[in-house]
Coordinates of all heavy atoms in Angstrom, one line a residue:
M1 N 100.5 157.3 105.8 CA 101.2 157.4 107.1 C 102.7 156.9 106.9 O 102.9 155.8 106.4 CB 100.5 156.5 108.2 CG 99.3 157.2 108.8 SD 99.8 158.6 109.8 CE 100.3 157.8 111.3
P2 N 103.6 157.6 107.4 CA 105.0 157.2 107.3 C 105.3 156.2 108.4 O 104.6 156.2 109.4 CB 105.8 158.5 107.5 CG 104.9 159.4 108.3 CD 103.5 159.0 107.9
P3 N 106.3 155.4 108.2 CA 106.8 154.6 109.4 C 107.3 155.5 110.5 O 107.8 156.6 110.2 CB 107.9 153.7 108.7 CG 108.3 154.5 107.5 CD 107.1 155.3 107.0
P4 N 107.3 155.0 111.7 CA 107.8 155.8 112.8 C 109.3 156.1 112.7 O 109.7 157.2 113.1 CB 107.5 155.0 114.1 CG 107.3 153.6 113.5 CD 106.8 153.7 112.1
L5 N 110.0 155.2 112.1 CA 111.4 155.4 111.9 C 111.7 155.2 110.4 O 111.2 154.3 109.8 CB 112.2 154.4 112.7 CG 112.2 154.6 114.2 CD1 113.1 153.4 114.9 CD2 112.8 155.9 114.7
C6 N 112.6 156.1 109.9 CA 113.0 156.0 108.5 C 113.8 154.7 108.3 O 114.8 154.5 108.9 CB 113.8 157.2 108.1 SG 114.4 157.1 106.4
P7 N 113.3 153.8 107.4 CA 114.0 152.6 107.1 C 115.4 152.9 106.4 O 116.2 152.0 106.4 CB 113.1 151.8 106.1 CG 111.8 152.6 106.1 CD 112.1 154.0 106.5
H8 N 115.5 154.0 105.9 CA 116.7 154.3 105.2 C 117.8 154.9 106.1 O 118.9 154.3 106.2 CB 116.5 155.3 104.1 CG 117.7 155.8 103.4 ND1 118.7 155.0 103.0 CD2 118.2 157.1 103.2 CE1 119.7 155.7 102.5 NE2 119.4 157.0 102.6
C9 N 117.5 155.9 106.9 CA 118.5 156.5 107.7 C 118.3 156.3 109.2 O 119.1 156.7 110.0 CB 118.7 158.0 107.4 SG 117.3 159.0 107.9
G10 N 117.1 155.9 109.6 CA 116.8 155.6 111.0 C 116.3 156.8 111.8 O 116.2 156.7 113.0
A11 N 116.1 157.9 111.1 CA 115.7 159.1 111.8 C 114.2 159.0 112.2 O 113.4 158.2 111.5 CB 115.8 160.3 110.9
R12 N 113.8 159.6 113.3 CA 112.4 159.6 113.7 C 111.6 160.5 112.8 O 112.0 161.6 112.5 CB 112.3 160.1 115.1 CG 111.1 159.4 115.9 CD 111.2 159.9 117.3 NE 110.9 161.3 117.5 CZ 109.7 161.9 117.4 NH1 108.6 161.1 117.2 NH2 109.5 163.2 117.5
I13 N 110.5 160.0 112.3 CA 109.6 160.8 111.4 C 108.4 161.2 112.1 O 107.6 160.4 112.6 CB 109.3 159.9 110.2 CG1 110.6 159.5 109.4 CG2 108.3 160.6 109.2 CD1 110.5 158.4 108.5
P14 N 108.1 162.5 112.0 CA 106.8 163.0 112.6 C 105.6 162.3 111.9 O 105.7 162.0 110.7 CB 106.8 164.5 112.3 CG 108.3 164.8 112.0 CD 108.9 163.5 111.4
A15 N 104.5 162.1 112.7 CA 103.4 161.3 112.2 C 102.8 161.9 110.9 O 102.4 161.1 110.1 CB 102.3 161.3 113.3
R16 N 102.8 163.2 110.7 CA 102.2 163.7 109.6 C 103.2 164.1 108.5 O 102.8 164.8 107.5 CB 101.3 164.9 110.0 CG 99.9 164.5 110.5 CD 99.0 165.6 110.6 NE 99.2 166.4 111.8 CZ 98.6 167.6 112.0 NH1 97.7 168.1 111.2 NH2 98.8 168.2 113.1
A17 N 104.4 163.8 108.7 CA 105.4 164.2 107.7 C 105.2 163.4 106.4 O 104.8 162.2 106.4 CB 106.8 163.9 108.2
R18 N 105.5 164.0 105.3 CA 105.3 163.3 104.0 C 106.7 162.8 103.5 O 106.7 162.0 102.6 CB 104.8 164.3 103.0 CG 103.3 164.6 103.2 CD 102.8 165.7 102.3 NE 102.8 165.3 100.9 CZ 102.7 166.1 99.9 NH1 102.6 167.3 100.1 NH2 102.8 165.6 98.7
C19 N 107.7 163.2 104.2 CA 109.0 162.6 103.8 C 109.9 162.7 105.0 O 109.7 163.4 106.0 CB 109.7 163.3 102.6 SG 110.1 165.0 103.0
C20 N 111.0 161.9 105.0 CA 111.9 161.9 106.1 C 112.7 163.2 106.2 O 113.2 163.7 105.2 CB 112.9 160.7 105.9 SG 114.3 160.8 107.1
P21 N 112.6 163.9 107.3 CA 113.3 165.2 107.4 C 114.8 165.1 107.4 O 115.5 166.0 107.1 CB 112.8 165.7 108.8 CG 112.4 164.5 109.6 CD 111.9 163.5 108.6
A22 N 115.3 163.9 107.6 CA 116.8 163.7 107.6 C 117.3 163.4 106.2 O 118.3 163.9 105.8 CB 117.2 162.7 108.6
C23 N 116.7 162.5 105.5 CA 117.3 162.0 104.3 C 116.4 162.2 103.1 O 116.8 162.1 101.9 CB 117.7 160.6 104.3 SG 116.3 159.4 104.3
G24 N 115.1 162.6 103.3 CA 114.3 162.9 102.2 C 113.5 161.7 101.6 O 112.8 161.8 100.6
S25 N 113.7 160.5 102.2 CA 112.9 159.4 101.7 C 111.4 159.7 101.9 O 111.0 160.3 102.9 CB 113.3 158.1 102.5 OG 114.6 157.8 102.1
D26 N 110.6 159.2 101.0 CA 109.1 159.4 101.2 C 108.4 158.2 100.7 O 108.9 157.3 100.2 CB 108.6 160.7 100.6 CG 108.7 160.7 99.1 OD1 108.9 159.6 98.5 OD2 108.5 161.7 98.5
E27 N 107.0 158.2 100.9 CA 106.2 157.1 100.5 C 106.2 156.8 99.0 O 106.1 155.7 98.6 CB 104.8 157.2 101.1 CG 104.1 158.5 100.6 CD 102.9 158.7 101.4 OE1 102.4 157.8 102.1 OE2 102.3 159.8 101.3
Q28 N 106.4 157.9 98.3 CA 106.4 157.7 96.8 C 107.7 157.0 96.3 O 107.7 156.3 95.3 CB 106.3 159.1 96.1 CG 104.9 159.4 95.8 CD 104.6 160.8 95.8 OE1 105.5 161.6 96.2 NE2 103.5 161.2 95.3
T29 N 108.8 157.1 97.1 CA 110.0 156.4 96.7 C 110.1 155.1 97.5 O 111.1 154.5 97.5 CB 111.2 157.2 96.9 OG1 111.3 157.6 98.3 CG2 111.2 158.5 96.0
G30 N 109.0 154.8 98.2 CA 109.0 153.5 99.0 C 109.9 153.6 100.2 O 110.3 152.5 100.6
W31 N 110.2 154.7 100.7 CA 111.1 154.9 101.8 C 112.4 154.2 101.5 O 112.9 153.4 102.3 CB 110.4 154.3 103.1 CG 109.2 155.1 103.5 CD1 107.9 154.8 103.2 CD2 109.2 156.4 104.1 NE1 107.1 155.7 103.6 CE2 107.8 156.7 104.2 CE3 110.1 157.2 104.6 CZ2 107.4 157.9 104.8 CZ3 109.7 158.4 105.2 CH2 108.4 158.7 105.3
S32 N 112.8 154.3 100.4 CA 114.0 153.6 99.9 C 115.2 154.4 99.7 O 115.2 155.6 99.8 CB 113.7 152.9 98.6 OG 113.7 153.8 97.6
E33 N 116.3 153.8 99.4 CA 117.6 154.5 99.2 C 117.6 155.2 97.9 O 118.5 156.1 97.7 CB 118.7 153.4 99.3 CG 120.0 153.9 99.9 CD 120.9 152.8 100.2 OE1 120.9 151.8 99.3 OE2 121.6 152.8 101.2
E34 N 116.7 154.9 97.0 CA 116.7 155.6 95.7 C 116.7 157.1 95.8 O 117.2 157.8 94.9 CB 115.5 155.1 94.9 CG 115.8 153.7 94.4 CD 114.5 153.1 93.7 OE1 113.7 153.9 93.4 OE2 114.4 151.9 93.6
T35 N 116.1 157.6 96.8 CA 116.0 159.0 96.9 C 117.4 159.7 97.0 O 117.6 160.7 96.5 CB 115.2 159.4 98.2 OG1 114.1 158.6 98.3 CG2 114.8 160.8 98.2
N36 N 118.3 159.0 97.6 CA 119.6 159.5 97.8 C 120.5 159.4 96.5 O 121.3 160.2 96.3 CB 120.3 158.7 98.9 CG 120.3 159.5 100.2 OD1 119.9 160.7 100.2 ND2 120.8 158.9 101.2
T37 N 120.1 158.5 95.6 CA 121.0 158.3 94.5 C 120.5 159.1 93.3 O 121.2 159.2 92.3 CB 121.0 156.8 94.0 OG1 119.6 156.4 93.9 CG2 121.7 156.0 95.1
G38 N 119.4 159.8 93.4 CA 119.0 160.8 92.4 C 118.2 160.1 91.2 O 118.0 158.9 91.2
G39 N 117.9 160.9 90.2 CA 117.2 160.4 89.1 C 115.7 160.3 89.3 O 115.0 160.0 88.3
L40 N 115.2 160.6 90.4 CA 113.7 160.5 90.7 C 113.1 161.9 90.7 O 113.7 162.8 91.2 CB 113.5 159.9 92.0 CG 113.6 158.3 92.0 CD1 113.5 157.8 93.4 CD2 112.5 157.7 91.2
D41 N 112.0 162.0 90.0 CA 111.2 163.3 90.0 C 110.3 163.3 91.2 O 109.3 162.5 91.2 CB 110.5 163.4 88.7 CG 110.8 164.7 88.0 OD1 111.7 165.3 88.4 OD2 110.1 165.0 87.1
L42 N 110.6 164.1 92.2 CA 109.7 164.1 93.4 C 108.7 165.3 93.2 O 109.1 166.4 93.2 CB 110.6 164.3 94.6 CG 111.5 163.2 95.0 CD1 112.3 163.5 96.2 CD2 110.7 161.9 95.2
P43 N 107.4 164.9 93.2 CA 106.4 165.9 93.2 C 106.1 166.5 94.5 O 105.2 167.4 94.6 CB 105.2 165.1 92.6 CG 105.5 163.7 93.0 CD 106.9 163.5 93.3
D44 N 106.8 166.2 95.5 CA 106.6 166.6 96.8 C 107.1 168.1 97.0 O 108.3 168.3 96.9 CB 107.3 165.7 97.8 CG 106.8 165.9 99.3 OD1 106.2 167.0 99.5 OD2 107.0 165.1 100.1
E45 N 106.2 169.0 97.3 CA 106.6 170.4 97.4 C 107.4 170.7 98.7 O 108.2 171.6 98.8 CB 105.4 171.3 97.4 CG 104.5 171.2 96.2 CD 103.5 170.1 96.5 OE1 103.4 169.6 97.6 OE2 102.7 169.8 95.6
E46 N 107.2 169.8 99.7 CA 107.9 170.1 101.0 C 109.3 169.7 100.9 O 110.1 170.2 101.8 CB 107.2 169.2 102.1 CG 105.8 169.8 102.5 CD 105.1 168.8 103.4 OE1 105.8 168.3 104.3 OE2 103.9 168.6 103.3
F47 N 109.7 168.9 100.0 CA 111.1 168.5 99.9 C 111.8 169.1 98.7 O 111.4 168.9 97.6 CB 111.1 167.0 99.8 CG 112.5 166.4 99.6 CD1 113.4 166.6 100.6 CD2 112.9 165.7 98.5 CE1 114.7 166.1 100.5 CE2 114.1 165.2 98.4 CZ 115.1 165.4 99.4
N48 N 112.7 170.0 99.0 CA 113.5 170.6 97.9 C 114.6 169.7 97.5 O 115.7 169.7 98.1 CB 114.0 172.0 98.4 CG 114.5 172.8 97.3 OD1 114.9 172.3 96.3 ND2 114.5 174.1 97.4
Y49 N 114.4 169.1 96.4 CA 115.4 168.1 95.9 C 116.7 168.8 95.5 O 117.8 168.3 95.8 CB 114.8 167.3 94.8 CG 115.7 166.1 94.4 CD1 115.9 165.0 95.2 CD2 116.4 166.2 93.2 CE1 116.8 164.0 94.8 CE2 117.3 165.2 92.8 CZ 117.4 164.1 93.6 OH 118.3 163.1 93.3
E50 N 116.6 169.9 94.8 CA 117.8 170.6 94.3 C 118.7 171.0 95.5 O 119.9 170.9 95.4 CB 117.3 171.8 93.6 CG 116.4 171.5 92.4 CD 117.0 171.9 91.1 OE1 117.9 172.7 91.0 OE2 116.6 171.2 90.1
E51 N 118.0 171.5 96.5 CA 118.8 172.0 97.7 C 119.5 170.8 98.3 O 120.6 170.9 98.8 CB 117.8 172.6 98.7 CG 118.4 173.7 99.5 CD 117.3 174.5 100.2 OE1 116.9 174.1 101.3 OE2 116.9 175.5 99.7
F52 N 118.7 169.7 98.4 CA 119.3 168.5 99.0 C 120.5 168.0 98.2 O 121.6 167.7 98.8 CB 118.2 167.4 98.9 CG 118.7 166.0 99.4 CD1 119.0 165.8 100.7 CD2 118.9 165.0 98.4 CE1 119.5 164.5 101.1 CE2 119.4 163.8 98.8 CZ 119.7 163.5 100.1
V53 N 120.4 168.0 96.9 CA 121.6 167.6 96.1 C 122.7 168.5 96.3 O 123.9 168.1 96.4 CB 121.2 167.5 94.6 CG1 122.4 167.4 93.7 CG2 120.2 166.4 94.3
Q54 N 122.4 169.8 96.4 CA 123.4 170.8 96.5 C 124.2 170.6 97.8 O 125.4 170.7 97.9 CB 122.8 172.2 96.5 CG 123.7 173.3 96.1 CD 123.0 174.6 95.9 OE1 121.9 174.6 95.5 NE2 123.6 175.7 96.3
E55 N 123.5 170.3 98.9 CA 124.1 170.1 100.1 C 124.9 168.8 100.1 O 126.0 168.7 100.6 CB 123.1 170.0 101.3 CG 122.6 171.3 101.8 CD 121.4 171.2 102.7 OE1 121.2 170.1 103.2 OE2 120.8 172.2 102.9
E56 N 124.3 167.8 99.5 CA 124.9 166.5 99.5 C 126.2 166.4 98.7 O 127.2 165.8 99.0 CB 123.9 165.5 98.9 CG 124.3 164.0 99.3 CD 123.9 163.7 100.7 OE1 123.6 164.6 101.5 OE2 123.9 162.5 101.0
F57 N 126.3 167.1 97.6 CA 127.4 167.1 96.7 C 128.3 168.3 96.7 O 129.0 168.6 95.8 CB 126.9 166.7 95.3 CG 126.3 165.4 95.2 CD1 124.9 165.3 95.1 CD2 127.0 164.2 95.2 CE1 124.2 164.1 95.0 CE2 126.3 163.0 95.2 CZ 125.0 162.9 95.1
G58 N 128.1 169.2 97.7 CA 128.9 170.3 97.8 C 128.5 171.6 97.0 O 129.0 172.6 97.3
G59 N 127.6 171.4 96.1 CA 127.1 172.5 95.3 C 128.1 173.2 94.4 O 127.9 174.3 93.9
G60 N 129.2 172.5 94.1 CA 130.3 173.0 93.2 C 129.8 173.2 91.8 O 130.3 174.0 91.1
R61 N 128.9 172.3 91.4 CA 128.5 172.4 89.9 C 127.4 173.3 89.6 O 126.9 173.3 88.5 CB 128.1 170.9 89.5 CG 129.3 170.0 89.6 CD 128.9 168.7 88.9 NE 129.6 167.6 89.5 CZ 129.2 166.3 89.3 NH1 128.1 166.1 88.7 NH2 129.9 165.3 89.9
V62 N 126.9 173.9 90.6 CA 125.7 174.7 90.4 C 126.0 176.0 89.7 O 125.2 176.6 89.0 CB 125.0 175.0 91.7 CG1 123.7 175.8 91.5 CG2 124.7 173.7 92.5
R63 N 127.3 176.5 89.8 CA 127.7 177.7 89.2 C 127.6 177.6 87.6 O 127.9 176.5 87.1 CB 129.2 177.9 89.5 CG 129.5 179.4 89.7 CD 131.0 179.5 90.1 NE 131.3 178.7 91.2 CZ 132.6 178.3 91.4 NH1 133.5 178.5 90.5 NH2 132.9 177.6 92.5
P64 N 127.1 178.6 87.0 CA 127.0 178.6 85.5 C 128.4 178.5 84.9 O 129.3 179.2 85.4 CB 126.3 179.9 85.2 CG 126.3 180.7 86.4 CD 126.5 179.8 87.6
K65 N 128.5 177.7 83.9 CA 129.8 177.5 83.3 C 130.3 178.6 82.4 O 131.5 178.8 82.2 CB 129.8 176.2 82.4 CG 129.9 175.0 83.2 CD 129.8 173.7 82.3 CE 129.8 172.5 83.2 NZ 129.5 171.3 82.3
G66 N 129.4 179.4 81.8 CA 129.8 180.5 80.9 C 130.7 181.5 81.5 O 131.7 181.9 80.9
I67 N 130.5 181.8 82.7 CA 131.3 182.9 83.4 C 132.7 182.4 83.6 O 133.7 183.1 83.4 CB 130.7 183.2 84.8 CG1 129.3 183.8 84.6 CG2 131.6 184.1 85.5 CD1 128.5 183.9 85.8
H68 N 132.8 181.1 83.9 CA 134.1 180.5 84.2 C 135.1 180.7 83.0 O 136.2 181.3 83.2 CB 133.9 179.1 84.5 CG 135.1 178.5 85.3 ND1 135.4 178.9 86.6 CD2 136.0 177.5 85.0 CE1 136.4 178.3 87.0 NE2 136.8 177.4 86.1
W69 N 134.8 180.2 81.9 CA 135.8 180.2 80.8 C 136.0 181.7 80.3 O 137.1 182.0 79.8 CB 135.4 179.3 79.6 CG 134.2 179.7 78.8 CD1 132.9 179.2 79.0 CD2 134.1 180.7 77.8 NE1 132.1 179.8 78.1 CE2 132.7 180.8 77.4 CE3 135.0 181.6 77.2 CZ2 132.3 181.6 76.4 CZ3 134.5 182.5 76.2 CH2 133.2 182.5 75.8
F70 N 135.0 182.5 80.5 CA 135.1 183.9 80.1 C 136.2 184.6 80.9 O 137.1 185.3 80.3 CB 133.8 184.6 80.3 CG 133.9 186.1 80.0 CD1 133.9 186.6 78.7 CD2 134.0 187.0 81.1 CE1 134.0 188.0 78.5 CE2 134.1 188.4 80.8 CZ 134.1 188.9 79.5
W71 N 136.3 184.3 82.2 CA 137.3 185.0 83.0 C 138.6 184.4 82.8 O 139.7 185.1 82.9 CB 136.9 184.9 84.5 CG 135.8 185.9 84.8 CD1 134.5 185.6 85.1 CD2 135.8 187.3 84.7 NE1 133.8 186.7 85.3 CE2 134.6 187.8 85.0 CE3 136.9 188.2 84.4 CZ2 134.3 189.2 85.1 CZ3 136.6 189.6 84.5 CH2 135.3 190.0 84.8
W72 N 138.7 183.1 82.5 CA 139.9 182.5 82.1 C 140.5 183.1 80.9 O 141.7 183.4 80.8 CB 139.8 181.0 81.9 CG 140.0 180.2 83.2 CD1 139.0 179.6 83.9 CD2 141.2 180.1 83.9 NE1 139.6 179.0 85.0 CE2 140.9 179.3 85.0 CE3 142.5 180.5 83.7 CZ2 141.9 178.9 85.9 CZ3 143.5 180.1 84.6 CH2 143.1 179.4 85.7
L73 N 139.6 183.4 79.9 CA 140.1 184.0 78.6 C 140.6 185.4 78.9 O 141.6 185.8 78.4 CB 138.9 184.0 77.7 CG 139.2 184.2 76.2 CD1 140.0 183.0 75.6 CD2 137.9 184.5 75.4
T74 N 139.8 186.2 79.7 CA 140.3 187.5 80.0 C 141.6 187.5 80.7 O 142.5 188.3 80.3 CB 139.2 188.1 81.0 OG1 137.9 188.0 80.4 CG2 139.5 189.6 81.2
A75 N 141.8 186.6 81.6 CA 143.1 186.5 82.3 C 144.2 186.2 81.3 O 145.3 186.7 81.4 CB 143.0 185.5 83.4
L76 N 143.9 185.3 80.4 CA 144.9 184.8 79.4 C 145.3 186.0 78.5 O 146.5 186.2 78.3 CB 144.3 183.7 78.6 CG 145.3 182.9 77.8 CD1 146.2 182.1 78.7 CD2 144.6 182.0 76.8
I77 N 144.3 186.8 78.1 CA 144.6 187.9 77.2 C 145.4 188.9 77.9 O 146.4 189.5 77.4 CB 143.3 188.5 76.7 CG1 142.6 187.6 75.7 CG2 143.5 189.9 76.1 CD1 141.2 187.9 75.4
L78 N 145.1 189.2 79.2 CA 145.9 190.2 80.0 C 147.3 189.7 80.2 O 148.3 190.5 80.1 CB 145.2 190.3 81.4 CG 144.0 191.3 81.4 CD1 143.4 191.3 82.8 CD2 144.5 192.7 81.1
A79 N 147.5 188.4 80.4 CA 148.8 187.8 80.6 C 149.6 188.0 79.3 O 150.8 188.4 79.3 CB 148.7 186.4 81.0
I80 N 149.0 187.7 78.2 CA 149.7 187.9 76.9 C 150.1 189.3 76.6 O 151.2 189.6 76.2 CB 148.8 187.3 75.7 CG1 148.7 185.8 75.9 CG2 149.4 187.7 74.4 CD1 147.6 185.2 75.0
L81 N 149.2 190.2 76.9 CA 149.5 191.7 76.8 C 150.7 192.1 77.6 O 151.6 192.8 77.2 CB 148.3 192.5 77.1 CG 147.2 192.6 76.1 CD1 146.0 193.3 76.6 CD2 147.7 193.3 74.8
L82 N 150.7 191.6 78.9 CA 151.8 192.0 79.8 C 153.1 191.4 79.2 O 154.1 192.1 79.2 CB 151.5 191.4 81.2 CG 150.8 192.3 82.1 CD1 150.4 191.6 83.4 CD2 151.7 193.5 82.5
L83 N 153.0 190.2 78.8 CA 154.2 189.5 78.2 C 154.7 190.3 77.0 O 155.9 190.6 76.9 CB 153.9 188.1 77.8 CG 155.0 187.1 77.8 CD1 155.6 186.9 79.2 CD2 154.6 185.8 77.2
A84 N 153.8 190.7 76.2 CA 154.2 191.5 75.0 C 154.9 192.8 75.3 O 155.8 193.2 74.7 CB 152.9 191.7 74.1
M85 N 154.4 193.4 76.4 CA 155.0 194.7 76.8 C 156.4 194.5 77.4 O 157.3 195.3 77.2 CB 154.1 195.3 78.0 CG 152.9 196.1 77.4 SD 151.7 196.5 78.7 CE 152.6 197.7 79.6
F86 N 156.6 193.3 78.0 CA 157.9 193.1 78.6 C 158.9 192.8 77.5 O 160.1 193.1 77.6 CB 157.8 191.8 79.5 CG 157.6 192.2 81.0 CD1 156.4 192.0 81.6 CD2 158.7 192.9 81.6 CE1 156.3 192.4 82.9 CE2 158.5 193.2 83.0 CZ 157.3 193.0 83.6
L87 N 158.4 192.0 76.5 CA 159.4 191.6 75.4 C 159.7 192.6 74.4 O 160.6 192.4 73.6 CB 158.7 190.3 74.7 CG 158.6 189.1 75.6 CD1 157.9 188.0 74.9 CD2 160.0 188.6 76.1
R88 N 159.0 193.7 74.4 CA 159.3 194.7 73.4 C 160.6 195.5 73.6 O 160.9 195.8 74.8 CB 158.1 195.8 73.4 CG 157.8 196.1 72.0 CD 156.3 196.5 71.7 NE 155.7 197.1 72.8 CZ 155.1 198.3 72.7 NH1 155.1 199.0 71.6 NH2 154.4 198.8 73.7
Ligands
LIG101 ZN1 115.6 159.1 106.4

């Protein structure tokens, strides 16, 4: 049974909830702040940790890195080609 109020964020927790709907604390993490700081493997299917992290940290790092440098390289090559055409 969860506590009636989340000790971490103070949100009201439904009696049969396995984790806090507001901050994701659950009985396995001791209803503690550790859930927010990451590094814990949560076996709880109801709580999507990845989604939580994405929302919490803006989701900027989720993009695959390979695409990024590839397009930079393409842009650089195009710029050099244009420059070469101008200088000829
Ligand atoms: Zn909470």
Side-chain angles (χ1 to χ4, degrees):
M1 280 290 281
L5 291 176
C6 175
H8 173 50
C9 71
R12 210 175 65 79
I13 296 160
R16 278 193 280 172
R18 290 173 62 195
C19 66
C20 173
C23 73
S25 293
D26 67 9
E27 54 192 350
Q28 265 150 350
T29 57
W31 298 98
S32 74
E33 214 168 36
E34 284 172 18
T35 316
N36 259 352
T37 53
L40 281 171
D41 234 10
L42 292 179
D44 193 341
E45 306 88 3
E46 287 174 40
F47 177 62
N48 191 334
Y49 186 70
E50 304 245 332
E51 213 168 83
F52 172 75
V53 168
Q54 204 171 325
E55 275 170 21
E56 197 79 348
F57 298 103
R61 294 191 210 161
V62 186
R63 219 180 302 153
K65 278 180 186 169
I67 295 166
H68 199 65
W69 68 258
F70 174 77
W71 285 113
W72 270 112
L73 198 67
T74 309
L76 194 70
I77 289 166
L78 278 173
I80 289 168
L81 279 173
L82 268 171
L83 203 69
M85 280 167 70
F86 265 112
L87 293 177
R88 220 148 34 121

